[in-house]
Amino acid sequence: MKGNLCKIGLLGMGNIGTGSYMVLEKEREGIKARTGIDFEFVKILEKFVDRPRPVKVPLEKFTQNPADIFEDPEIDVVVELLGGIHPAVDFMVDAMNHGKHVVTANKAAVADSYELLRDTAEKNRVMFRYEASVGGAIPCLTAIENALLANRYEEVYGILNGTTNYILTKMGDEGLDYETALAQAKEKGFAEPNPTADVEGIDVANKLSILLALCFGVRVRPDDIPRTGITGVTKADIEAARSRGNVIKLIANAHYEDGRLVYSVKPTELPADHMLAAVKNELNALWLKTTEAQELMFYGKGAGPLPTGSAIMGDVIDIGRAIAKQAAYDIVVPGKTE
Amino acid sequence: MKGNLCKIGLLGMGNIGTGSYMVLEKEREGIKARTGIDFEFVKILEKFVDRPRPVKVPLEKFTQNPADIFEDPEIDVVVELLGGIHPAVDFMVDAMNHGKHVVTANKAAVADSYELLRDTAEKNRVMFRYEASVGGAIPCLTAIENALLANRYEEVYGILNGTTNYILTKMGDEGLDYETALAQAKEKGFAEPNPTADVEGIDVANKLSILLALCFGVRVRPDDIPRTGITGVTKADIEAARSRGNVIKLIANAHYEDGRLVYSVKPTELPADHMLAAVKNELNALWLKTTEAQELMFYGKGAGPLPTGSAIMGDVIDIGRAIAKQAAYDIVVPGKTE
């Protein structure tokens, strides 16, 4: 970092990349005032330079060559927002091997290559942050890795996917059937044209895999997490749940049974007066039962360009402050697995 | 810090001090495994050595002389849990001037002497942490000072006092009058024999004063915050609110009106389906509206020895890790006031 300017290289300028860029444009002066550090996206790896965006990006920032970012000695932090496992993981490893600190929102890549990414960061003494990969804007991973370090975890309950929570909310509150609610979610931009990863619970399994590493110190690959999506949830199921005073949510859960840790992603009935039952539409929440803090819940926007950009920039700012303190190497042990 | 042992001096071993000591006893091995650092309370300033406690404390740890802690070169962190403004503030300043990092849960002291404590920490290049002073176990200050740094705040809504929330919950759910609910709260240990600071909103005003500094960068002394307690709330008020589909909560609020920041502590009607309306009994919650993350809520135990001890130890662990990284000096700018 030269002077007080922290230079960021961005991999991928889709919705989340654009959101992160917009957050920095909007908040740059305030961030500078609060931290004494100026942040700037200086280079962007992105094929679709001309794609219409709600923010104006100087053309000279774009490149088609990742080496322009990894080999630029002035770039401090690389933000990976390509999505998917490859080439995202390889690019993050490459960036770390070039001494760059790495921030990502890519839950699939973190869940798939957790040890590789963590160990590569430790080996290169760089920081690796992924707050945005679980719960979007909700600063739950930061809390687990810092303020809650004196706790062991007894149970984790999460509503961690906005698409499916939106669909289940519409089915429950407006009596829509699954297909109609899904169509509405697509209209409103809460569901992808191909919603498989969301409605089949694959996205949530990636997030639970990350939480299992951070909260319980165990490594479980997403494919090894028992998983049921919401495609089989009917109006009748929701009515039957209501008759029992319950609501149905797609829940990522981990807890102990006879001392054994069990985990799953599946549609689950919750009492209507449970805090998680009040989490509606595209919002997310993580409910934790711990040994000392006892009961906690974090609630907020689980997706969207600006909320996710808020989490991305939170990680980037934390890294910038650490660099300013010549203390960028951050032990990643909370997620260390046996 | 010698080797990997971080030594803590404790000022005051009442309920919260005892809770913090118990949390470390229970979690010490796990904390060591997760952070690579061993923590120990080595000296305790406390008059009532013989007071019955749920944990066994070696008598030789107790002292009647604060200098035994401040002048011990081996003590890294001083945890202040005396409560009240004096001598707590003087002791924290004295500890910092001796190069000790300071952690406190004392909202009255932080709200009263915010600039003095912050500036003394900066001058001595020591860390000053007070997560437990607002929302007990809820890691809200850590989030505001780190993960949410890319945000400006538009509105803050807090249920930040367990005693008053317990009383209002009983009045609302069981139709008790104020006096009966207060008596129950005292029985259950949720209210002090003299509940004035709680029921008159003084405790909440201290917490809002701290939030105003961290979220809005403005310094407002607790006495300058318009404040109404719950002693005037009647069964009729709660019934009238219910007839409008609302519930009454004691709310700490700050928001902008015509570009001007306005703030208050007062009984407030919330729609029954607002997330904060579901926060019952002694639980606390902080609801935030920000420019980028947009809507967030943190929920959990706002008081109690173990939950508060969880927040205290979270701050202590963070300091221990910073010392291990030779980076103990942490810029306190998020709360910097104009």
Side-chain angles (χ1 to χ4, degrees), chain A residues 16-34:
Chain A
I16 304 305
T18 303
S20 304
Y21 192 95
M22 288 171 69
V23 166
L24 181 52
E25 288 298 299
K26 286 170 65 183
E27 308 292 343
R28 187 170 178 174
E29 286 315 307
I31 292 167
K32 201 168 160 182
R34 290 191 287 278

Side-chain angles (χ1 to χ4, degrees), chain A residues 130-274:
Chain A
Y130 41 94
E131 177 63 79
S133 67
V134 178
I138 305 167
C140 50
L141 302 191
T142 308
I144 291 165
E145 294 198 88
N146 295 280
L148 298 177
L149 269 179
N151 291 266
R152 281 162 293 138
Y153 292 79
E154 293 167 349
E155 182 148 33
V156 168
Y157 260 99
I159 295 174
L160 299 174
N161 180 270
T163 306
T164 47
N165 201 50
Y166 180 88
I167 293 169
L168 291 174
T169 301
K170 290 296 169 189
M171 291 175 73
D173 291 0
E174 298 173 19
L176 305 182
D177 60 31
Y178 172 76
E179 291 305 334
T180 314
L182 173 60
Q184 272 199 16
K186 286 184 181 179
E187 256 171 55
K188 297 221 171 175
F190 292 137
E192 306 284 334
N194 173 0
T196 306
D198 291 321
V199 297
E200 295 296 350
I202 297 164
D203 173 74
V204 177
N206 285 328
K207 292 163 176 171
L208 181 56
S209 171
I210 294 168
L211 288 171
L212 285 166
L214 296 188
C215 297
F216 297 94
V218 299
R219 178 69 172 124
V220 183
R221 300 190 53 80
D223 294 348
D224 299 330
I225 295 175
R227 170 171 61 77
T228 308
I230 66 163
T231 54
V233 178
T234 64
K235 278 168 68 170
D237 297 330
I238 286 171
E239 279 315 315
R242 195 198 312 276
S243 72
R244 291 184 283 268
N246 297 337
V247 299
I248 295 179
K249 296 287 188 183
L250 180 62
I251 294 293
N253 172 260
H255 67 281
Y256 289 100
E257 255 169 41
D258 315 320
R260 207 173 105 273
L261 184 66
V262 295
Y263 36 81
S264 66
V265 173
K266 59 172 192 270
T268 305
E269 285 193 30
L270 296 176
D273 64 354
H274 191 289

Side-chain angles (χ1 to χ4, degrees), chain A residues 23 26-27 31 33-35 131 137-139 142-143 145-152 275 278-279 283 287 291-301 306-307 310-311 313-314 317-318 321 325-327 329-331 333-334, chain B residues 23 26-27 31 33-35 131 137-139 142-143 145-152 275 278-279 283 287 291-301 306-307 310-311 313-314 317-318 321 325-327 329-331 333-334:
Chain A
V23 166
K26 286 170 65 183
E27 308 292 343
I31 292 167
R34 290 191 287 278
T35 66
E131 177 63 79
I138 305 167
T142 308
E145 294 198 88
N146 295 280
L148 298 177
L149 269 179
N151 291 266
R152 281 162 293 138
M275 286 296 292
V279 178
L283 281 121
W287 187 91
T291 47
E292 312 305 334
Q294 296 170 9
E295 179 188 1
L296 289 161
M297 192 181 83
F298 304 92
Y299 163 92
K301 292 277 175 89
L306 295 183
S310 164
M313 285 312 302
I317 291 166
D318 202 33
R321 294 202 296 179
K325 287 184 289 167
Q326 282 98 34
Y329 178 57
D330 201 358
I331 304 156
V333 278
Chain B
V23 166
K26 287 170 63 183
E27 308 293 343
I31 292 167
R34 291 191 288 279
T35 65
E131 177 64 79
I138 305 167
T142 307
E145 294 198 89
N146 295 280
L148 298 176
L149 269 179
N151 290 266
R152 283 162 292 139
M275 287 296 291
V279 178
L283 281 118
W287 186 92
T291 48
E292 312 303 334
Q294 295 169 12
E295 179 188 2
L296 288 161
M297 191 180 85
F298 304 93
Y299 163 92
K301 293 278 174 88
L306 295 182
S310 165
M313 285 311 303
I317 291 166
D318 201 34
R321 295 202 296 178
K325 288 185 288 168
Q326 282 98 33
Y329 178 58
D330 201 359
I331 305 158
V333 279

Side-chain angles (χ1 to χ4, degrees), chain B residues 184-259:
Chain B
Q184 272 199 16
K186 286 184 180 180
E187 254 170 58
K188 297 221 171 175
F190 292 137
E192 306 283 333
N194 173 0
T196 306
D198 291 319
V199 298
E200 295 296 352
I202 298 164
D203 173 75
V204 177
N206 285 328
K207 292 163 176 171
L208 181 56
S209 172
I210 294 169
L211 289 171
L212 285 166
L214 296 187
C215 297
F216 297 94
V218 299
R219 177 68 171 127
V220 183
R221 300 190 54 78
D223 295 347
D224 298 331
I225 295 174
R227 170 171 60 78
T228 308
I230 66 163
T231 54
V233 178
T234 64
K235 278 168 69 170
D237 296 332
I238 285 172
E239 279 315 314
R242 194 196 314 276
S243 71
R244 290 183 284 268
N246 297 337
V247 300
I248 295 179
K249 296 286 189 183
L250 180 62
I251 295 293
N253 172 261
H255 67 281
Y256 289 101
E257 254 169 43
D258 316 321

